[in-house]
Amino acid sequence: MDNSDSRSISEIESEQQASTEEVVSLAKNPEFDRDIFTEFAVILDKFKPVLVAITANEKLMDRLPVKKGVESIEKELTRAQKLIQGAYSRSPIKEIEVVTQELGRSLGLVLFASIDASTEVKQHIAELHRELMNVKFDISFTPSPSPSLSSSPCVIHGRRPSKESGFVSEQGSSINEIEEEKISLGIDDVVFQLRYGNDEEFRLALLVLSDFISDQVIDKEWIHEEDIIPILLNRLGSSKPHNRLTIIQILRVLALDNDENKEKMTDVVCLSRLVKSLARDADEGREAVGLLLQLSNISAVRRRIGRIQGCIVMLVSMLNGDDPTSSHDSAKLLIALSSNTQNVLHMAEAGYFKPLVHCLKEGSDMSKILMATAVSRMELTDQCRASLGEDGAVEPLVKMFKSGKLEAKLSALNALQNLSNLTENIKLLITAGIVSPLLQLLFSVTSVLMTLREPASAILARIAQSETILVKQDVAQQMLSLLNLSSPVIQYHLLQALNSIASHSSASKVRRKMKENCAVQLLLPFLTESNIKIRSAALNLLYTLSKDSPEEFMEQLGESNLINIVNIISSSASESEKAAAIGIVSNLPVSNKKLTEVLKRLHFLPILISLVSSGASTSAKTWLEESIAGVLVRFTVPSDKKLQLLSAELGVIPILVKLLASESSLAKCRAAISLAQLSQNSVALRKSRKSRWTCMPPSADTFCPVHDGYCVVKSTFCLVKAGAVPPLIQILEGQEREADEAVLNALATLLQDEIWESGSLHIAKTSAVQAIIRVLESGTVKAQEKALWILERIFGIEEHRSQYGESAQAVLIDLAQNGNPRLKPTVAKVLARLQLL
């Protein structure tokens, strides 16, 4: 039913039954004593069961023409009621006939659209329709006027109604005119107007033809002799929308259970016109797909429809549309068309894959190969890959790969390679048991199977992205053993797969076993590989393996390979490759001074500073920033002031401040660690105001109130003069908590014993206290510990206690009662400062 009518079918049925009964009751009123009303009541009594049968059929009531017909019946019943109520003093014979025939026409509309109704219901509707349309009341009967109502103002003899009766509306007049025109058309006139009439004449002829068909005035021989079907099909291409809809509805009636009529609708021109109707408004599309479905039991029709441009695309669109009838009929028609292999491929191109999957499961060997080849060549979206996976394409393709002949294996592997681009399909591949056959194929030396090894290695690389691969024991070791026996393409895929496996969070045992099996020694020669893709993949895997046991990794690496890595960083055009290479260096032990000297000798620090200054713009930017920040921790260790001075002179400190604004929490954390290491020595490196040995007095701009001396960033590493304090505090105010501890350690360097008061004043002045209190609520235990230490010093000043003490009370008391036990001594000190303990 249309959304505009919110009534349920049962409500409509109940209302119409009540309306009918009310009109019958009025017509039988003994006060009238008129044969005309008694006759009218008898007709309406026949009307009730038919109306109930119509409204009780939900599928029938879903059709818009049926709904319109039922609504029209409602209106005519209302008119009949008003007519009877307002006509006590006269004999409105003509008006009663008009109402009766209008009820007939409304019922005819229902009959015309009731294609799916049972034969018995249609027969009852048709019989009553004929009776209503042919009714003639006895106009010679003239009753005596009722004395009590002789002066009633509601007497109606002319065309114009009184306002009180509301009898003949403007719409009614229009309908009457149309009916009069229809009555004037004979059978020959109908054929002539169907052939040659203008739009309005053609429309009228269609309506009369519809009546003829409904009333069974004409038979199939007449339809054949007059070429009615070719005429209608010819006019379909040039008709207006409302006429097209009626034509298709008439064609559906003519095609119903009549194979001879269907045959006349099977030529390509006719089918093409019907296909065009699929893309038009909803009503026309619904009727067109219904008719095409009726015709689809003819093999020639199925063959021709599939070849018509846009047909299958439109059917798939209707299948996925909101109209339930169109969707249902489209689904049935697509199933009918799927007997043709080419149609199945067109459906897949339109995003409807169930017939294709069915062919993969049940089709002939050649059909399976065709379907798999099609999947391998399609430009699939992730949504399409997901649909194919959900519809069950993976399992039959894996079966083809395992047991098929060479051509089947190749087409299946290529199709699976396309599907494996979606993460959701990887689990399906593993479940289908593809891993072992892939590895067996890669170990194979049979010449005929060599062409299969590249797609096999590509699929293996995708499968390795899933942590499920770890349940397959020794997969990584088998791939390692294949590295030096494979072509460059296969090597690249194997390296990708190995890196994915080693990168999984639960793969620590796998990484250890890989290193025990000499994975690092196998990979190091790839550092001088000319193929950039292979070299990058090897670097990525080395980076992953370097995260564990850095001392052991350093021993395996050696100085010569370190030189190769630095050369890649300085010369590569790939930022991701640079990020991996720098990442390897950042994972090497910071305490290894020999390594630091080698890097200094190789001018490694200027190379890094140049990279940050030029700025990265690719997806590798975050990784590059993390790696660089990790290496800078080595060059800022507080135990080596000469190295710190070298770093500061080269411009490391502004770079570290810049990295505090990185999108990566890890890069922020590492930058804060380096700044904290530098700031630890600021007190010792400051120049006191009292010093008189200098020839020229320092500039007033260099005076630092925190260190109570003269600070220059490159020589004293002062956080205040470097402008590092605001971005550090901004990190604490953010939503991420990973860098809190490192940031608080950096701020704590401003609260060293000699400068804690001035440092406290500066931190409070920069509105950091609330951000530090916030860390107590949601930070890690180590971060909470450092925050408490800072607050104890800040609350050592009375002004700060009165300003911030109250806001910290609740958090401190909660920590004292429910916090980690190791925090309680420090919490007690802070509470004592606030005189709350």
Side-chain angles (χ1 to χ4, degrees):
M1 292 290 289
D2 196 293
N3 290 336
S4 64
D5 193 341
S6 59
R7 298 173 299 166
S8 68
I9 289 173
S10 61
E11 288 172 335
I12 294 170
E13 181 181 336
S14 177
E15 288 173 16
Q16 290 195 339
Q17 193 168 353
S19 297
T20 309
E21 288 174 354
E22 186 175 351
V23 175
V24 171
S25 175
L26 282 169
K28 290 181 177 179
N29 192 326
E31 290 184 27
F32 286 174
D33 192 25
R34 301 182 189 179
D35 290 343
I36 186 172
F37 290 126
T38 305
E39 197 176 334
F40 185 50
V42 170
I43 292 172
L44 289 179
D45 268 333
K46 295 178 182 178
F47 194 82
K48 283 192 291 183
V50 173
L51 193 58
V52 169
I54 294 167
T55 54
N57 189 326
E58 289 189 31
K59 187 174 181 182
L60 199 58
M61 289 294 285
D62 272 339
R63 292 186 174 276
L64 187 60
V66 175
K67 178 178 179 295
K68 295 291 185 187
V70 171
E71 289 174 352
S72 181
I73 289 168
E74 288 180 328
K75 291 176 185 175
E76 295 308 323
L77 287 172
T78 303
R79 287 174 61 189
Q81 181 181 343
K82 291 180 179 179
L83 172 62
I84 295 167
Q85 288 173 334
Y88 279 67
S89 61
R90 59 189 172 77
S91 175
I93 296 170
K94 181 61 178 174
E95 288 83 349
I96 287 288
E97 280 186 1
V98 170
V99 170
T100 307
Q101 288 175 354
E102 288 303 325
L103 283 169
R105 266 180 280 282
S106 299
L107 197 60
L109 181 60
V110 173
L111 173 64
F112 189 64
S114 302
I115 294 170
D116 298 329
S118 68
T119 305
E120 184 181 0
V121 170
K122 284 192 288 188
Q123 188 174 350
H124 284 316
I125 298 173
E127 288 173 0
L128 183 56
H129 171 251
R130 279 195 296 274
E131 184 173 351
L132 291 168
M133 292 303 295
N134 296 323
V135 70
K136 293 290 180 185
F137 294 104
D138 184 4
I139 58 174
S140 65
F141 175 74
T142 307
S144 302
S146 171
S148 61
L149 296 174
S150 60
S151 60
S152 169
C154 298
V155 177
I156 302 171
H157 292 293
R159 279 180 165 264
R160 295 187 62 81
S162 68
K163 189 172 182 181
E164 291 82 356
S165 69
F167 167 40
V168 183
S169 66
E170 186 177 337
Q171 182 181 5
S173 296
S174 175
I175 291 171
N176 290 339
E177 289 171 11
I178 291 173
E179 289 307 316
E180 287 172 7
E181 290 180 37
K182 285 169 65 178
I183 291 167
S184 69
L185 281 181
I187 289 181
D188 293 339
D189 297 323
V190 168
V191 175
F192 183 83
Q193 299 291 19
L194 288 174
R195 284 182 184 276
Y196 308 113
N198 59 30
D199 287 329
E200 287 306 314
E201 292 166 341
F202 180 61
R203 174 65 175 162
L204 189 63
L206 283 175
L207 294 175
V208 176
L209 177 63
S210 173
D211 286 346
F212 285 170
I213 294 170
S214 299
D215 299 341
Q216 299 179 355
V217 172
I218 54 176
D219 55 21
K220 61 182 181 181
E221 285 76 18
W222 181 85
I223 290 169
H224 172 69
E225 289 169 3
E226 297 295 341
D227 283 336
I228 296 299
I229 292 174
I231 292 170
L232 294 176
L233 291 171
N234 185 52
R235 294 294 298 259
L236 181 63
S238 58
S239 289
K240 298 244 175 118
H242 57 279
N243 286 345
R244 287 199 305 266
L245 178 61
T246 307
I247 291 171
I248 298 171
Q249 288 172 332
I250 291 173
L251 290 173
R252 290 193 69 180
V253 173
L254 295 177
L256 192 66
D257 300 325
N258 191 318
D259 291 339
E260 186 180 352
N261 285 348
K262 285 182 183 178
E263 286 291 342
K264 295 176 183 178
M265 306 178 196
T266 60
D267 68 87
V268 174
V269 175
C270 159
L271 295 173
S272 297
R273 287 173 181 165
L274 288 173
V275 166
K276 283 183 181 178
S277 289
L278 296 177
R280 290 177 171 137
D281 69 70
D283 290 337
E284 186 175 341
R286 186 190 309 114
E287 296 299 330
V289 74
L291 178 53
L292 288 170
L293 179 59
Q294 286 176 263
L295 300 175
S296 66
N297 63 342
I298 301 171
S299 59
V301 171
R302 295 195 298 273
R303 188 171 61 254
R304 289 166 187 166
I305 290 176
R307 294 174 182 171
I308 298 172
Q309 187 175 9
C311 176
I312 287 175
V313 173
M314 277 307 306
L315 289 174
V316 172
S317 177
M318 294 176 86
L319 171 71
N320 299 321
D322 298 327
D323 188 308
T325 303
S326 298
S327 179
H328 174 267
D329 289 351
S330 297
K332 292 183 73 173
L333 183 52
L334 286 167
I335 290 170
L337 295 177
S338 65
S339 59
N340 180 285
T341 301
Q342 198 61 42
N343 288 344
V344 172
L345 295 176
H346 287 320
M347 291 176 203
E349 288 168 1
Y352 180 55
F353 299 106
K354 286 183 179 177
L356 181 146
V357 174
H358 178 76
C359 287
L360 285 174
K361 292 178 178 178
E362 308 293 339
S364 65
D365 289 345
M366 183 51 65
S367 176
K368 290 177 181 178
I369 290 170
L370 280 172
M371 297 302 135
T373 303
V375 173
S376 69
R377 293 175 179 174
M378 285 179 189
E379 293 288 334
L380 295 175
T381 63
D382 283 348
Q383 186 178 352
C384 289
R385 291 188 180 96
S387 294
L388 279 161
E390 290 164 6
D391 290 342
V394 172
E395 189 175 354
L397 286 170
V398 171
K399 189 176 179 181
M400 281 178 68
F401 164 59
K402 285 180 178 179
S403 58
K405 294 180 180 178
L406 181 62
E407 188 180 5
K409 285 179 184 289
L410 183 59
S411 60
L413 268 184
N414 287 329
L416 289 169
Q417 183 177 353
N418 198 349
L419 294 181
S420 67
N421 280 317
L422 184 71
T423 307
E424 287 83 346
N425 287 338
I426 290 173
K427 189 174 181 181
L428 297 174
L429 284 163
I430 296 171
T431 304
I434 198 173
V435 177
S436 296
L438 286 177
L439 287 167
Q440 289 171 12
L441 176 60
L442 290 172
F443 277 108
S444 173
V445 292
T446 308
S447 58
V448 292
L449 297 178
M450 296 300 279
T451 54
L452 305 178
R453 296 178 77 206
E454 288 189 7
S457 63
I459 294 170
L460 203 56
R462 304 259 170 72
I463 290 174
Q465 294 171 12
S466 169
E467 210 156 342
T468 316
I469 192 73
L470 295 177
V471 302
K472 302 289 183 182
Q473 301 255 333
D474 296 327
V475 169
Q477 316 316 319
Q478 292 180 63
M479 283 193 263
L480 272 174
S481 64
L482 285 167
L483 266 180
N484 290 327
L485 305 172
S486 304
S487 67
V489 173
I490 295 172
Q491 280 181 331
Y492 172 67
H493 290 313
L494 288 174
L495 288 167
Q496 279 189 313
L498 285 164
N499 187 48
S500 293
I501 292 171
S503 297
H504 292 310
S505 57
S506 55
S508 57
K509 289 182 180 178
V510 174
R511 290 194 295 271
R512 185 174 67 249
K513 198 165 184 180
M514 285 173 69
K515 285 192 273 191
E516 287 172 359
N517 288 320
C518 305
V520 176
Q521 287 87 339
L522 277 170
L523 293 170
L524 288 174
F526 287 107
L527 293 176
T528 54
E529 170 66 52
S530 58
N531 186 314
I532 296 172
K533 287 177 69 176
I534 294 176
R535 188 177 70 209
S536 295
L539 270 170
N540 288 343
L541 181 52
L542 281 167
Y543 167 72
T544 302
L545 296 176
S546 71
K547 294 176 182 179
D548 302 326
S549 308
E551 290 287 353
E552 179 189 342
F553 185 87
M554 180 60 210
E555 290 175 10
Q556 294 176 322
L557 184 65
E559 187 174 330
S560 61
N561 288 305
L562 182 63
I563 292 170
N564 289 334
I565 287 173
V566 174
N567 287 336
I568 290 170
I569 295 167
S570 60
S571 62
S572 175
S574 166
E575 288 183 350
S576 60
E577 188 176 27
K578 289 178 181 179
I582 298 168
I584 292 171
V585 178
S586 72
N587 288 336
L588 299 176
V590 173
S591 58
N592 191 316
K593 292 184 178 180
K594 184 179 178 182
L595 173 61
T596 304
E597 289 302 316
V598 172
L599 292 172
K600 281 171 62 179
R601 192 172 69 246
L602 295 171
H603 305 289
F604 188 57
L605 200 52
I607 294 171
L608 293 188
I609 292 167
S610 173
L611 277 176
V612 179
S613 301
S614 60
S617 57
T618 66
S619 57
K621 178 182 179 181
T622 298
W623 188 12
L624 196 59
E625 288 176 345
E626 290 173 349
S627 299
I628 291 171
V631 173
L632 293 181
V633 173
R634 169 186 298 280
F635 287 95
T636 56
V637 289
S639 59
D640 193 338
K641 290 181 184 175
K642 284 186 178 179
L643 184 61
Q644 283 188 330
L645 282 167
L646 172 66
S647 300
E649 286 172 4
L650 289 171
V652 161
I653 294 176
I655 285 171
L656 291 171
V657 174
K658 182 180 179 181
L659 288 170
L660 291 176
S662 170
E663 293 180 4
S664 163
S665 293
L666 180 58
K668 291 174 184 176
C669 179
R670 288 174 169 176
I673 290 170
S674 291
L675 287 168
Q677 291 183 158
L678 289 164
S679 183
Q680 286 178 41
N681 290 324
S682 293
V683 174
L685 293 171
R686 67 183 172 175
K687 293 180 181 178
S688 172
R689 306 194 268 186
K690 300 173 182 177
S691 177
R692 295 185 179 181
W693 57 267
T694 182
C695 299
M696 290 186 64
S699 166
D701 292 339
T702 62
F703 179 75
C704 174
V706 173
H707 294 110
D708 192 27
Y710 295 97
C711 290
V712 178
V713 174
K714 287 189 176 182
S715 58
T716 65
F717 324 138
C718 174
L719 292 183
V720 178
K721 289 299 178 182
V725 176
L728 286 169
I729 294 167
Q730 198 168 2
I731 294 171
L732 296 181
E733 292 171 340
Q735 300 300 316
E736 297 169 344
R737 305 271 62 90
E738 292 86 345
D740 283 354
E741 185 186 352
V743 168
L744 291 169
N745 283 331
L747 293 174
T749 61
L750 301 179
L751 300 171
Q752 296 175 63
D753 290 344
E754 300 167 63
I755 59 171
W756 74 270
E757 289 184 81
S758 56
S760 296
L761 288 167
H762 185 76
I763 288 173
K765 185 180 177 182
T766 52
S767 305
V769 178
Q770 291 297 342
I772 295 167
I773 292 171
R774 184 180 173 189
V775 173
L776 294 180
E777 297 174 328
S778 55
T780 64
V781 173
K782 285 188 175 181
Q784 288 175 324
E785 202 167 26
K786 184 55 68 173
L788 287 167
W789 185 89
I790 292 173
L791 286 174
E792 186 199 354
R793 298 229 154 180
I794 290 174
F795 288 150
I797 298 172
E798 171 60 32
E799 180 186 346
H800 298 159
R801 289 197 296 272
S802 60
Q803 187 173 355
Y804 302 108
E806 188 175 347
S807 61
Q809 277 183 36
V811 182
L812 291 167
I813 291 169
D814 183 62
L815 280 177
Q817 293 173 345
N818 307 310
N820 190 292
R822 65 189 266 193
L823 299 176
K824 291 185 178 181
T826 318
V827 172
K829 288 181 182 179
V830 181
L831 288 170
R833 285 277 195 194
L834 296 174
Q835 299 178 350
L836 293 171
L837 189 66

